[in-house]
Amino acid sequence: MAADLSIEGFLVGHHSDPEGLTGCTAILAPAGAVASVDIRGGAPGTLETALLSPYASVTELHGILLTGGSAPGLAAAAGLTRWLQEHGRGYQTPFARIPLVSAAVIYDLGLGSPTACPSAADAYGAAAAAGTRVEEGSVGAGTGATVGKLFNFQGMMKGGVGVASVMTGGGVTVTALVVCNALGDVLDEQGGILAGARRDGGFVGCTKALLEMPSAPVFGAIESTTLAVVMTDAALDKLQCGVVSRMAHDGFARAIDPVHTPRDGDCVFTLTTGTVPGNVFQVGVAAAEAVAAAIRRAVRTAEGAGGVPSVSDLAAVREAQASSEEGAATANGTVGL
Amino acid sequence: MAADLSIEGFLVGHHSDPEGLTGCTAILAPAGAVASVDIRGGAPGTLETALLSPYASVTELHGILLTGGSAPGLAAAAGLTRWLQEHGRGYQTPFARIPLVSAAVIYDLGLGSPTACPSAADAYGAAAAAGTRVEEGSVGAGTGATVGKLFNFQGMMKGGVGVASVMTGGGVTVTALVVCNALGDVLDEQGGILAGARRDGGFVGCTKALLEMPSAPVFGAIESTTLAVVMTDAALDKLQCGVVSRMAHDGFARAIDPVHTPRDGDCVFTLTTGTVPGNVFQVGVAAAEAVAAAIRRAVRTAEGAGGVPSVSDLAAVREAQASSEEGAATANGTVGL
């Protein structure tokens, strides 16, 4: 599956390692794009986010790398920086043009090789491959992503990359790209579990199961994280982009349960070209909508890997069971149940 | 309707002004209770929240006042402070015992008298009336609360006070008290609209309607706000209480849409007695659950006032319509639809 970014000026490219089950995703911003970040998880792994504080003087950002490999994966951002340098992108300083690149990681060592980690060359390749149509599912930074990890990597399901766009009545476009590697379950539009922690062939409900435990499960602090990049064309300043990043986290709360836990490094970046009149109220609400939709697409488009099933794998199993039951029922001369 | 706080040491009392349609709610914390706050709305009205920063040295808090009357309502907190002083509660300083009181307001001037505002005497009365069983609905700080205000106070519904508790497998109790005065719609457990902006007898869906507008509606910046106080007995320090306050905002996102907008002063306080072994992970997840449930109770228990209908008013209208249709159908000799 793939989706169009539906917004002028942004380009996205993936590098995927289907054997090590890791990868990275490069987002290239058009010149002058204004950026912000809001980090609400307890276990973030990020690069150059202090730069995005409302108190930091620079407002522009030239690229974002989302990557697997946990904290060591941040080093891959150098490859995106090099690609931007070679293409004359960056902030003009007295002596050179300096590309400003933020990055954030997911912990994907529980699937595939625990030593696989995207390199600077991989990030360079992702930048070189960037376009306006983006592959979704088990690709790029979502290659090794998983969800539903309450039972210490047992019974988890496949996460991935999702993209969704919302347009406002005023003609502003808001596109969210998400890498979903959440500890919690991913919920559908009615609050049912779409993908999450499974036991005995069914969903356990991470929140319910967690609350029933005598104490919280013991594992390390950086196993999970959902990352989002909100791209828009609305004329917003850096501070307003920060409000959008804050509001976009409500999309996490609606589509993932639990989320923003001490084990999730949940992080939202917002980037705008600032070319269409818009307002922070509508763009923030649209961002929450787009992020929730992109999270659901991430698991709906994911493919199973390393023995971890995807939403589509479970649907295929259910269909096979249904048709074999139907076959059995037909053989008995009764209507299938 | 009323609910038990289900947790040792906390007391809650209301003062309600059913003519001016405003009021206040006092939360009395037991000695030594540790406190935090997380403010995520764009239009907060608060008192003594800097004190609750992780960087501020004091960890304890003795009372919280939630109040109507918008910013001028904060002055009512003096009444709660006086009651605490008279009862020997406070932080021991070299010369006197100083009660530490935080407060937060809702804007309830759009219902009832626009000049009605809770006084210090009202807050004193709320403290004096405090107990472990708490009235819910259109009482206290929820007396003049409303929800679904996308159309500038047209078509809104009644908000109020709600209380809900969650218990963990380890025996920690988490109780949320909420005053729901949101701009957005309140959603039920399946994401359907329970109470919200209405037009032509039906819900419009605030988020959908907002996104279709050519620009955001123009009104002042402080009309809406949902306030929550999370009370627990979990052994958490001040910083961990801050994490719980942060995570509790996910309950807002699940039960209110849109929320955390530039027009909402959304704010969560967390208070703990610290008497039961617990962990921030479970308590944070429980807080989000309890807050979402308390928000739904707030509108389900509210009573219509000042021409603004409640959830129960609409249910009564539907029942009356159904029985009159049934009557008409019976008169026609056909089965009721």
Side-chain angles (χ1 to χ4, degrees), chain B:
Chain B
M1 296 281 284
D4 284 315
L5 287 181
S6 310
I7 188 163
E8 282 284 311
F10 293 99
L11 300 171
V12 172
H14 296 304
H15 173 86
S16 308
D17 173 356
E19 290 180 19
L21 292 177
T22 190
C24 60
T25 298
I27 294 96
L28 307 181
V34 172
S36 77
V37 72
D38 186 38
I39 302 170
R40 278 174 48 70
T46 64
L47 175 93
E48 286 273 50
T49 51
L51 186 76
L52 304 180
S53 151
Y55 294 110
S57 305
V58 166
T59 61
E60 62 193 277
L61 193 71
H62 309 99
I64 297 176
L65 189 74
L66 307 181
T67 179
S70 189
L74 291 173
L80 173 54
T81 301
R82 184 161 62 84
W83 189 92
L84 290 166
Q85 266 178 321
E86 289 177 7
H87 290 76
R89 313 274 188 93
Y91 179 72
Q92 188 61 58
T93 72
F95 301 106
R97 195 174 275 277
I98 304 292
L100 300 175
V101 170
S102 293
V105 302
I106 66 161
Y107 182 96
D108 56 3
L109 312 192
L111 190 64
S113 163
T115 58
C117 183
S119 67
D122 295 341
Y124 185 96
T132 58
R133 188 151 179 86
V134 183
E135 282 296 315
E136 297 171 280
S138 301
V139 293
T143 305
T146 49
V147 302
K149 284 168 279 189
L150 190 62
F151 303 112
N152 207 11
F153 303 100
Q154 301 298 308
M156 63 187 180
M157 284 180 66
K158 194 69 190 66
V161 171
V163 175
S165 297
V166 170
M167 209 163 167
T168 75
V172 166
T173 305
V174 180
T175 297
L177 179 146
V178 161
V179 179
C180 185
N181 188 49
L183 180 140
D185 301 318
V186 175
L187 307 184
D188 66 19
E189 291 75 2
Q190 286 74 44
I193 299 175
L194 196 54
R198 297 166 70 244
R199 188 173 266 176
D200 303 327
F203 294 122
V204 295
C206 278
T207 284
K208 185 172 170 290
L210 175 73
L211 292 177
E212 287 170 356
M213 292 176 180
S215 62
V218 178
F219 36 59
I222 51 167
E223 304 84 356
S224 300
T225 284
T226 299
L227 304 175
V229 178
V230 173
M231 291 163 267
T232 180
D233 48 17
L236 303 179
D237 64 21
K238 187 181 186 183
L239 199 53
Q240 291 171 322
C241 284
V243 173
V244 173
S245 293
R246 263 163 64 120
M247 291 178 71
H249 275 288
D250 285 344
F252 285 44
R254 291 175 187 139
I256 305 173
D257 187 21
V259 75
H260 301 132
T261 76
R263 309 286 186 244
D264 287 280
D266 300 334
C267 174
V268 177
F269 297 93
T270 298
L271 284 165
T272 186
T273 62
T275 48
V276 176
N279 62 81
V280 66
F281 191 144
Q282 278 184 312
V283 177
V285 171
E289 290 282 292
V291 162
I295 289 167
R296 291 171 184 134
R297 278 192 70 89
V299 297
R300 283 175 172 144
T301 59
E303 290 173 16
V308 174
S310 63
V311 170
S312 55
D313 289 340
L314 294 193
V317 167
R318 272 197 306 274
E319 264 182 48
Q321 283 174 340
S323 62
S324 82
E325 277 168 22
E326 199 179 322
T330 307
N332 282 338
T334 60
V335 177
L337 301 173

Side-chain angles (χ1 to χ4, degrees), chain A residues 110-160:
Chain A
L111 191 65
S113 163
T115 58
C117 182
S119 68
D122 295 340
Y124 185 96
T132 59
R133 189 152 178 86
V134 183
E135 281 297 315
E136 297 171 280
S138 301
V139 293
T143 305
T146 49
V147 302
K149 284 168 280 190
L150 190 62
F151 303 112
N152 207 11
F153 303 101
Q154 300 299 307
M156 62 188 182
M157 284 180 65
K158 196 68 190 68

Side-chain angles (χ1 to χ4, degrees), chain A:
Chain A
M1 298 280 285
D4 284 315
L5 287 181
S6 309
I7 188 163
E8 282 284 311
F10 294 99
L11 300 171
V12 172
H14 296 303
H15 172 86
S16 309
D17 173 358
E19 289 180 19
L21 292 176
T22 190
C24 60
T25 298
I27 294 95
L28 307 181
V34 171
S36 78
V37 72
D38 186 40
I39 303 171
R40 277 174 49 72
T46 64
L47 174 94
E48 285 274 48
T49 52
L51 186 74
L52 303 180
S53 151
Y55 294 110
S57 305
V58 164
T59 60
E60 64 193 278
L61 192 72
H62 309 99
I64 297 176
L65 188 74
L66 307 181
T67 178
S70 190
L74 291 173
L80 173 53
T81 300
R82 183 161 62 84
W83 188 93
L84 290 166
Q85 266 178 321
E86 289 176 9
H87 290 76
R89 313 273 188 96
Y91 178 73
Q92 188 61 57
T93 72
F95 302 105
R97 197 174 274 278
I98 304 293
L100 300 175
V101 170
S102 294
V105 302
I106 67 162
Y107 182 96
D108 56 4
L109 312 193
L111 191 65
S113 163
T115 58
C117 182
S119 68
D122 295 340
Y124 185 96
T132 59
R133 189 152 178 86
V134 183
E135 281 297 315
E136 297 171 280
S138 301
V139 293
T143 305
T146 49
V147 302
K149 284 168 280 190
L150 190 62
F151 303 112
N152 207 11
F153 303 101
Q154 300 299 307
M156 62 188 182
M157 284 180 65
K158 196 68 190 68
V161 170
V163 175
S165 297
V166 170
M167 208 162 168
T168 74
V172 165
T173 304
V174 180
T175 297
L177 179 146
V178 161
V179 180
C180 186
N181 188 49
L183 180 139
D185 300 318
V186 175
L187 307 184
D188 66 19
E189 291 76 359
Q190 286 76 42
I193 300 175
L194 197 54
R198 296 167 71 244
R199 190 174 263 175
D200 303 328
F203 294 123
V204 295
C206 278
T207 284
K208 185 172 170 290
L210 175 73
L211 292 176
E212 287 169 356
M213 291 177 180
S215 62
V218 178
F219 37 57
I222 50 168
E223 303 85 355
S224 300
T225 284
T226 299
L227 304 174
V229 178
V230 173
M231 291 163 266
T232 180
D233 48 17
L236 302 179
D237 64 21
K238 187 182 186 183
L239 199 54
Q240 291 171 322
C241 285
V243 174
V244 172
S245 293
R246 264 165 62 120
M247 291 179 71
H249 274 289
D250 285 344
F252 284 46
R254 291 177 186 138
I256 306 173
D257 187 22
V259 73
H260 301 132
T261 76
R263 310 287 186 242
D264 286 280
D266 299 333
C267 175
V268 177
F269 296 93
T270 297
L271 284 165
T272 186
T273 63
T275 47
V276 177
N279 62 82
V280 65
F281 191 146
Q282 278 183 312
V283 177
V285 171
E289 290 282 293
V291 162
I295 289 168
R296 291 172 183 133
R297 279 192 70 90
V299 297
R300 283 177 172 143
T301 58
E303 289 173 17
V308 173
S310 64
V311 170
S312 56
D313 289 340
L314 293 193
V317 167
R318 271 197 307 274
E319 264 182 47
Q321 282 174 341
S323 62
S324 82
E325 277 167 23
E326 200 179 323
T330 307
N332 282 337
T334 61
V335 178
L337 301 172

